Amino acid sequence: MSPHDLRLARLTSLMTAVLVMPVSSLACGPDFPNRLLLDRHNTLLYMPEGNFAFETHRLLAVDPQLPLWKAPPPETAPKPMPQSPQERMIGQMRASKTIEEANAVDTQGLPEAARLYTLGAVAFAAEDPRATEYFQQVLDLPAAEQGDWRLRALYSLGRIEMDDRGTPENTYGSTAPAVQHPEKAQLDKAITTFQQVIDQVKSGAADPDQLALSSLGQQARIHLWQGEIAQAARLYAQQAAQGDSDGSLSLQYVSSYLINPEHLNALKQAIHDPLVQQLVTIELFARSSNLQMSDGTGESAKQSIERILTLLNESVESGFAGSDRLAALAYRSGQYPMAASLLKNAGDSGLAWWLRAKMALRDGNVEVATAAYAKAAAAFPTDEDWGQQRDDDYVPEVIMPDCRIAGEQAILALNRGDYLQAMELMYRGKDNYWADIADIAERVLTIDELKSFVDKHAPAVPLQPAKPGEYNYQQRQRSQLRELLARRMMRAGRYQEAVNYFDLPDSRQAAQEFIAQLKAAQDKAGSKEVRAKAYYQAAVLLREQGLEFTGYEMTPDYAIYGAGYSYLGDAFDTRDLQHKSWISAAEAARAAKSLPAVDDRFLHYRWQAVALAKKAADLLPAKSQAYAAVLCNAASWVIARDAKTGRALYQRYIKNGTQYDWSSRFGYDCPAPEF
């Protein structure tokens, strides 16, 4: 029987809810790179939000007697598969509108349990009360004949007993009339039926449809109807622990309900349960930025968080399992004394040490913070992922605590002048922090320091073509770093070394051609015409492909976005910072020295191309077409951004050159030079 035929047996246990989520307007353009170095003070003191789904999946331990959730395979183009005779029979029965139509289908060869269950499913869909009889008949068959249909029949009986027809219920914020649920005795009967499903799976019954996990959710749903929030939360938490995302989504509904100011009494009744305490804590720890409050109370999100924090702090006992999360919530809410108090009993979790590091930095104790960061880094698993978050400017960041902590450690390493260690730490952040890696590699390390780092961490290896759907961040990061070093070497005139570090064939070829043209131009044995042409060809290469073989990854060229943007922020510009920059004088001096000595501006290599073109003109007869065309083209490369240089080139042409038909369009419409 295909999974699509089991809609009756496998429905989500999530209590249908309308969760109000804020919609942020997207900024124009792509997502800009996340930057830890742009505002180091805030980076060090800010505590990222957690991830609700990640947190809820570890509220309870996995029950080894229950199955782990298996996600359905990803949808692909379906291949036509011939149906078995039994599948065709069931499909014909399920397409029926009434039991009578379903009974008329020829079911010779179909197991009796399958026939009875399918009749019950048709009756259930038609709201025919005979559905109960058919499901019960499945259970009355000899055990050897029931097969997988037994669990399906039990689960479906539970749905009938709780009157679950798959219809939406009134939800948070809804003005629809409340759904009328069965009496308590009938709901208790449904809980017992779902428990039979769970118990039989724990005893070894096969559960291909994962109905034991759905039964946990259905039981929790009934407890919610009866106002028993703590019991419901525990069942949903077990469902989530087994990997079922329905459990996590349902917990999100429960936690959203509890933090609503209109449900303060419900929160006060449930808050003494340790699991509810953890649930409310992680709701605010992971989703406080999404907090939406009812308009009727007049209470702001900040006021609500402070009130709930007070309730939690008064309710939890020493050693509370969520002390580190609660302390982080208190810290993010500005309740620093509460955070410090909670940290005393928060244990040695990675989050607790991360928070201790930030608290030490707030107190100005860098030495204590450095030690705490080291313990935090050692405590977090390298693959822990809190998902994507966005800051106030809507810049995205995938929070992987291990990588983020390494980035914050890098800031402290920079501040104490340990530049190579800072590079090693930031490099651990994968391509999530490529902009910061580039800033250190390009502006802080010397070329020789960077070369040593690249030789150790990004050695030359053949590029491997990516497989469909595969993203090799390690290969990309290694290649990006080698290209950055090669471009630095080109800017420093270390041409032959640079060629060996270009990973991309196009960049290497352009660099080699530029080097060859420059060599020919500087060869005093060549004729003036040959040298002039070589200077001009080198200038054209620099103008057209300079970004690829000599441009800055960050300030001032921003090759990181193909020079699509002229400014993405300078990590070493402290003029607008209103607090400590964490940039030492030595680091600032290195950063300043690495910028272009002249024409420090966006697309700086264009002005270098102009300088080469002027050298070409120096070697040409002033009255020749080539002289005029070289100056005209050189002006066209910068005139839109630098009218002064454009005018100077025009004045040189007017003073020395010959007038042509195109002279009136000088700098805008230029012919190719005729050498």
Side-chain angles (χ1 to χ4, degrees):
M1 185 176 188
S2 84
H4 298 289
D5 294 324
L6 294 174
R7 294 186 184 92
L8 173 63
R10 171 63 179 151
L11 284 186
T12 178
S13 64
L14 170 64
M15 179 177 290
T16 307
V18 178
L19 297 178
V20 183
M21 303 291 286
V23 179
S24 301
S25 58
L26 288 170
C28 296
D31 284 337
F32 291 115
N34 178 66
R35 310 284 295 279
L36 299 182
L37 298 181
L38 205 57
D39 187 345
R40 305 182 192 192
H41 184 80
N42 283 335
T43 294
L44 290 170
L45 296 188
Y46 172 71
M47 172 59 71
E49 288 194 337
N51 180 280
F52 188 86
F54 176 82
E55 296 288 343
T56 53
H57 278 87
R58 60 181 190 178
L59 276 172
L60 292 179
V62 172
D63 187 334
Q65 292 183 295
L66 286 173
L68 293 176
W69 169 255
K70 293 180 181 178
E75 291 187 9
T76 57
K79 296 180 180 179
M81 296 287 292
Q83 286 188 318
S84 68
Q86 291 185 6
E87 288 174 331
R88 285 198 298 272
M89 293 177 199
I90 291 174
Q92 291 174 356
M93 292 178 70
R94 292 297 296 265
S96 304
K97 301 296 183 185
T98 65
I99 291 179
E100 287 70 26
E101 288 181 27
N103 252 327
V105 174
D106 181 6
T107 58
Q108 185 175 1
L110 185 68
E112 182 65 3
R115 187 186 73 84
L116 291 171
Y117 176 83
T118 307
L119 287 172
V122 171
F124 185 94
E127 298 191 20
D128 187 321
R130 288 176 288 178
T132 301
E133 299 173 14
Y134 285 112
F135 293 139
Q136 187 59 52
Q137 288 180 48
V138 173
L139 302 179
D140 292 338
L141 290 172
E145 298 179 19
Q146 294 179 25
D148 295 340
W149 303 101
R150 174 174 179 79
L151 283 187
R152 294 165 185 161
L154 270 174
Y155 183 83
S156 300
L157 279 174
R159 288 190 62 196
I160 291 173
E161 290 160 356
M162 68 184 289
D163 196 19
D164 171 22
R165 297 286 173 179
T167 54
E169 304 177 27
N170 66 310
T171 56
Y172 170 48
S174 173
T175 57
V179 173
Q180 296 299 313
H181 300 300
E183 296 295 326
K184 185 178 186 305
Q186 188 172 335
L187 291 177
D188 288 345
K189 185 179 180 183
I191 289 177
T192 300
T193 302
F194 288 124
Q195 189 60 43
Q196 289 184 59
V197 174
I198 295 169
D199 290 342
Q200 290 187 23
V201 171
K202 284 187 172 184
S203 298
D207 187 14
D209 308 319
Q210 304 180 103
L211 297 179
L213 303 185
S214 296
S215 294
L216 288 171
Q218 294 287 44
Q219 287 181 327
R221 192 175 173 193
I222 293 171
H223 282 299
L224 277 185
W225 291 347
Q226 296 176 332
E228 297 162 351
I229 293 175
Q231 294 94 317
R234 190 162 297 278
L235 288 162
Y236 282 139
Q238 191 63 65
Q239 191 182 12
Q242 304 304 125
D244 190 343
S245 61
D246 284 353
S248 181
L249 289 170
S250 300
L251 285 171
Q252 185 174 309
Y253 172 84
V254 174
S255 58
S256 297
Y257 177 90
L258 286 172
I259 66 168
N260 187 307
E262 295 179 355
H263 305 142
L264 179 59
N265 288 335
L267 175 62
K268 287 181 175 179
Q269 291 175 8
I271 199 66
H272 298 288
D273 183 87
L275 190 135
V276 172
Q277 293 168 356
Q278 291 186 68
L279 178 61
V280 172
T281 297
I282 64 175
E283 164 69 21
L284 297 181
F285 171 59
R287 287 167 26 90
S288 61
S289 62
N290 293 335
L291 198 60
Q292 295 294 301
M293 296 302 171
S294 170
D295 294 333
T297 65
E299 185 176 65
S300 69
K302 184 176 184 297
Q303 290 172 322
S304 181
I305 290 173
E306 290 176 352
R307 173 178 49 76
I308 297 172
L309 262 174
T310 301
L311 267 178
L312 284 166
N313 197 40
E314 292 172 349
S315 304
V316 300
E317 297 180 359
S318 178
F320 165 57
S323 290
D324 54 352
R325 269 64 184 162
L326 187 55
L329 173 58
Y331 176 88
R332 287 217 337 263
S333 303
Q335 303 285 342
Y336 303 118
M338 184 188 297
S341 176
L342 287 163
L343 277 175
K344 293 176 182 177
N345 298 301
D348 292 324
S349 71
L351 179 62
W353 283 113
W354 193 5
L355 190 54
R356 289 181 183 117
K358 292 183 180 294
M359 292 284 282
L361 290 176
R362 281 190 55 82
D363 294 337
N365 197 329
V366 176
E367 184 178 350
V368 170
T370 301
Y373 269 121
K375 291 183 178 180
F380 271 109
T382 57
D383 60 348
E384 185 163 326
D385 187 342
W386 291 2
Q388 188 181 87
Q389 300 178 19
R390 292 182 182 268
D391 63 16
D392 293 339
D393 297 322
Y394 212 66
V395 174
E397 178 184 357
V398 175
I399 301 293
M400 298 187 70
D402 178 67
C403 299
R404 171 73 187 225
I405 288 169
E408 294 179 20
Q409 288 177 294
I411 292 175
L412 298 184
L414 286 171
N415 188 246
R416 64 176 177 265
D418 199 342
Y419 304 129
L420 277 172
Q421 186 185 32
M423 182 66 180
E424 295 216 14
L425 288 164
M426 195 65 79
Y427 197 66
R428 285 172 52 185
K430 305 182 174 62
D431 57 353
N432 195 35
Y433 300 121
W434 168 243
D436 294 313
I437 294 168
D439 270 328
I440 297 173
E442 199 162 54
R443 303 284 301 281
V444 180
L445 299 185
T446 65
I447 292 179
D448 288 330
E449 286 171 341
L450 178 58
K451 179 179 180 297
S452 174
F453 182 89
V454 169
D455 289 343
K456 179 180 178 181
H457 295 279
V461 295
L463 293 178
Q464 300 297 322
K467 297 176 182 178
E470 181 183 69
Y471 176 71
N472 190 335
Y473 77 82
Q474 290 178 326
Q475 176 170 287
R476 177 183 172 183
Q477 187 181 41
R478 182 193 59 76
S479 182
Q480 283 178 316
L481 193 59
R482 292 182 64 82
E483 292 277 316
L484 184 151
L485 171 59
R487 297 199 303 267
R488 275 198 74 177
M489 287 178 165
M490 288 292 292
R491 294 195 296 269
R494 296 167 63 166
Y495 297 136
Q496 295 308 317
E497 286 181 278
V499 168
N500 295 326
Y501 285 92
F502 279 111
D503 254 19
L504 304 180
D506 289 348
S507 301
R508 185 186 305 113
Q509 183 179 346
Q512 288 173 324
E513 189 174 345
F514 174 80
I515 295 167
Q517 293 291 353
L518 203 57
K519 183 178 180 181
Q522 294 170 345
D523 184 1
K524 298 295 178 66
S527 67
K528 286 187 176 182
E529 180 182 342
V530 169
R531 293 178 61 204
K533 185 175 181 180
Y535 266 127
Y536 182 72
Q537 293 299 332
V540 170
L541 279 167
L542 198 55
R543 161 61 183 89
E544 295 180 351
Q545 294 178 264
L547 188 67
E548 286 73 36
F549 69 81
T550 193
Y552 283 79
E553 184 74 359
M554 300 302 292
T555 306
D557 299 327
Y558 298 104
I560 190 171
Y561 266 124
Y565 296 86
S566 60
Y567 187 70
L568 292 172
D570 183 351
F572 304 93
D573 184 353
T574 62
R575 288 174 296 180
D576 294 334
L577 296 181
Q578 303 300 314
H579 40 64
K580 182 177 180 179
S581 71
W582 290 91
I583 300 175
S584 68
E587 182 188 345
R590 283 186 172 221
K593 186 178 180 180
S594 69
L595 290 174
V598 294
D599 293 312
D600 177 15
R601 58 180 98 196
F602 179 53
L603 307 180
H604 83 284
Y605 50 86
R606 291 192 183 184
W607 283 262
Q608 294 179 348
V610 169
L612 291 178
K614 288 162 70 175
K615 289 185 177 182
D618 291 342
L619 296 170
L620 292 168
K623 301 303 182 183
S624 67
Q625 185 271 356
Y627 178 87
V630 164
L631 293 178
C632 180
N633 279 281
S636 73
W637 300 339
V638 297
I639 197 168
R641 292 183 172 275
D642 183 4
K644 180 179 178 181
T645 296
R647 283 194 302 269
L649 290 167
Y650 180 66
Q651 291 298 328
R652 177 177 175 179
Y653 159 64
I654 290 296
K655 179 180 178 180
N656 302 316
T658 298
Q659 185 172 356
Y660 292 92
D661 292 342
W662 45 266
S663 298
S664 62
R665 302 185 300 279
F666 185 93
Y668 294 96
D669 188 6
C670 307
E674 298 173 5
F675 291 100

